Amino acid sequence: MIPLERQSRIVDILAGRPAVGIAELTRVLKVSHMTVRRDLRQLERAGRVATVAGGARLTDSVLAREAPHIAKAEFCRKEKEAIGAAAASFVEHGAAIYLDAGTTVLALAQMLVGRDDLTVVTNDFAVLEFLSANSKCVLHHTGGMVDRENRSCVGEAAARAIQGFRFDTAFISSSSFGSDGLSVTDPGKTLVKQAANESAVRTVLLADSTKFGQRAPYAALGLDRLSIIVSDEGLSDDAKAALTAAGVEIVIAKGGQGERSKSA
């Protein structure tokens, strides 16, 4: 396969996904890491892709659909673990919290092992399964229309269930975020995130840096609805400046520790 064919194949692989790791690209294309990195540099110079920690994503792409849970679970695993650990510091004793669907929020749930003082509401089946086996907190699942690929519930019924609670903190995920807020691939997810935000004292976005600059068809929440964004060290200085300019506190997870920054 000549370089142009490989690069076209890389763009096809990235289409419709938040990001793809270099290891996966080498496996699918059957070439070396060095070859993939060289192709990515050429695509980046052409403005077609942006390199991120451990992989790449399409630039200025509109995500038509979200990757399934099983695919997302393997991408940016260490970054998600660090984000989850940093976010756990926001979970106060006796708190009522909402845990949104997604593998980054699942990483937070995995830091709540042994907690028996919390009330947790979630629309995510993986979060529910983990906490039911590994915590003694009070658990509620929203129910609603099932999104099989992402192992969660979305839509009006899920949103109505969320509206029946009052949360100290809503921990929200998103496949896409930027200086214009959060966007999602399904309007049913918009209803759920908005309901959680409206029912919470504060809303915290958990999102790895590969999701910054991505766009999806449906606007979910503006930055003015967020209290804090927890991301990883791959978030660029330009991205942090754009987000803090909107008055959002940014926490950068570093090996489980959170480094805070906020605009004046």
Side-chain angles (χ1 to χ4, degrees), residues 23-250:
E24 180 178 346
L25 291 173
T26 60
R27 186 172 62 253
V28 172
L29 297 171
K30 297 182 173 60
V31 294
S32 68
H33 279 68
M34 185 178 297
T35 297
V36 168
R37 290 182 186 278
R38 186 165 54 246
D39 286 337
L40 289 176
R41 282 197 298 270
Q42 292 177 354
L43 287 167
E44 189 168 35
R45 283 196 292 269
R48 301 188 70 188
V49 308
T51 55
V52 297
R57 62 172 176 82
L58 293 184
T59 54
D60 296 324
S61 59
V62 175
L63 300 177
R65 61 187 296 273
E66 197 170 342
H69 177 94
I70 192 169
K72 292 188 292 184
E74 296 305 316
F75 191 75
C76 292
R77 180 183 292 274
K78 290 183 179 179
E79 288 82 359
K80 291 174 183 176
E81 289 174 352
I83 290 169
S89 66
F90 298 118
V91 183
E92 298 136 339
H93 182 82
I97 62 174
Y98 172 75
L99 297 183
D100 201 15
T103 54
T104 310
V105 178
L106 176 59
L108 166 59
Q110 291 166 343
M111 299 297 166
L112 304 179
V113 171
R115 293 289 295 264
D116 61 359
D117 59 300
L118 305 174
T119 298
V120 178
V121 180
T122 184
N123 66 330
D124 188 285
F125 292 111
V127 168
L128 180 72
E129 181 180 2
F130 180 83
L131 289 178
S132 64
N134 296 284
S135 80
K136 294 183 180 179
C137 58
V138 176
L139 277 172
H140 298 265
H141 194 277
T142 63
M145 185 172 68
V146 175
D147 179 345
R148 289 181 174 84
E149 283 197 334
N150 286 292
R151 300 186 63 190
S152 63
C153 286
V154 298
E156 292 182 4
R160 284 197 300 271
I162 290 168
Q163 290 166 352
F165 294 90
R166 292 295 177 265
F167 307 114
D168 296 292
T169 306
F171 292 96
I172 300 292
S173 66
S174 182
S175 58
S176 321
F177 76 107
S179 56
D180 56 350
L182 282 59
S183 56
V184 295
T185 56
D186 183 332
K189 296 177 183 179
T190 293
L191 294 175
V192 166
K193 295 180 196 301
Q194 291 176 348
N197 171 257
E198 290 165 4
S199 296
V201 174
R202 65 178 176 181
T203 298
V204 178
L205 172 66
L206 308 185
D208 69 74
S209 58
T210 68
K211 296 171 183 174
F212 182 83
Q214 296 276 19
R215 292 179 295 121
Y218 302 98
L221 292 172
L223 291 183
D224 62 322
R225 309 301 296 174
L226 303 178
S227 303
I228 300 169
I229 296 174
V230 186
S231 192
D232 59 76
E233 294 178 277
L235 194 66
S236 70
D237 290 341
D238 287 345
K240 286 184 279 190
L243 295 169
T244 55
V248 183
E249 180 177 358
I250 309 299

